[in-house]
Amino acid sequence: MSITTGDFRQRITVQTLAEKKRKHEPIVSLTAYDYATAHLADEAGVDMILVGDSLAQVVLGYDSTLPVTMEEMLHHTRAVRRAVHRSFLVADMPFGSYHTGTRKALENAARFVKESGAEAVKIEGGISRVKLIRRIIEAEIPVVGHIGLTPQSVHRMGGYKVQGKTITAIDELLRDAAALDEAGVAALVLEGIPREVAVRITAEVATPTIGIGAGPDCDGQILVFHDLAGLTFNAPPKFVRRYCNAGELITSAIQSYGADVRSRAFPADEESYHLPRELQHALDPAEPAIQGK
Ligand code: KIV
């Protein structure tokens, strides 16, 4: 029995995302970083797959997103691209790839489309990034915005802290959201902000909002695959819901494998290749045939 869900009639595009907002149909988004998980997410009906720069932490073991490079992001986006046939595929522009000049940023955004098959790039930041985002959109590359708790600004924020907790900070977020909306972003990720602020932004912008730690009223939600699957090793943030404990399952499978190898229960004879009987005999006439034809 298949337990897949979602709408499989068409590929998800920028237009589909906009339509979903108009129809109040929640947008399901998830990160993926490799062929296997992207295949599962695409088959399960995820609308938008993000190759997030969270790759740095959950796959590469860094303690922030800052070290991940363009080459690493491209490498993983290509693997995801090979698995994705329906979802809208977004690649995260890593720290440093759009901070040192418009020309370089445009070249890097184009590399994601040309060399890895991404359909959009994601850029962190509000008004300060709007000029750049307009240029990228003019270059025919859809952009997903990202405001609130923006992990690439960890040093400026002084840690991973919920944003938008004062009237001044809320006004700033509302202005950022309006400016990105006006610039024409394909979607807007709202991360780590109070639910009440996400409600306001979602009501005020035309573009779909995708929440992570922003409450249930956004037009869609996104989670990091490893958080959802229980493949992270620290206590998860409050907004994470673990839908399974793959870590426990995999550990138990590896322990069983180890025990079988140590007790020589693996591999069994049925899991071995055999010579035909005549060849076994020719090889060692004194030994009875082990098994086989
Ligand atoms: O890198 C990432 O995974 C993200 C999501 C948290 C939105 O940016």
Side-chain angles (χ1 to χ4, degrees), residues 31 33 50-55 57-58 65 73 92 122 124 146 149 151-152 189-191 210-212 222-225 239:
T31 68
Y33 316 93
L50 169 71
V51 184
D53 61 354
S54 47
L55 165 75
Q57 290 155 297
V58 297
T65 59
M73 289 299 300
D92 226 350
K122 179 167 80 58
E124 293 186 9
H146 183 164
L149 193 173
Q152 291 176 12
V189 172
L190 304 178
E191 178 167 356
I210 310 292
I212 174 160
I222 186 162
L223 275 179
V224 167
F225 173 81
F239 62 80

Side-chain angles (χ1 to χ4, degrees), residues 248-262:
E248 223 170 81
L249 207 69
I250 293 170
T251 302
S252 154
I254 295 170
Q255 284 168 340
S256 300
Y257 165 68
D260 284 354
V261 169
R262 287 182 200 107

Side-chain angles (χ1 to χ4, degrees), residues 110-166:
R111 288 191 74 193
F112 275 115
V113 176
K114 219 176 168 71
E115 297 177 33
S116 74
E119 289 155 306
V121 294
K122 179 167 80 58
I123 287 185
E124 293 186 9
I127 287 175
S128 64
R129 301 281 169 229
V130 162
K131 212 164 139 202
L132 170 65
I133 287 172
R134 283 187 187 278
R135 292 291 304 277
I136 297 176
I137 295 171
E138 276 163 22
E140 313 300 346
I141 302 170
V143 176
V144 171
H146 183 164
I147 58 172
L149 193 173
T150 46
Q152 291 176 12
S153 322
V154 59
H155 296 314
R156 180 179 55 72
M157 294 182 305
Y160 299 102
K161 298 176 181 162
V162 173
Q163 302 293 298
K165 296 212 296 189
T166 63

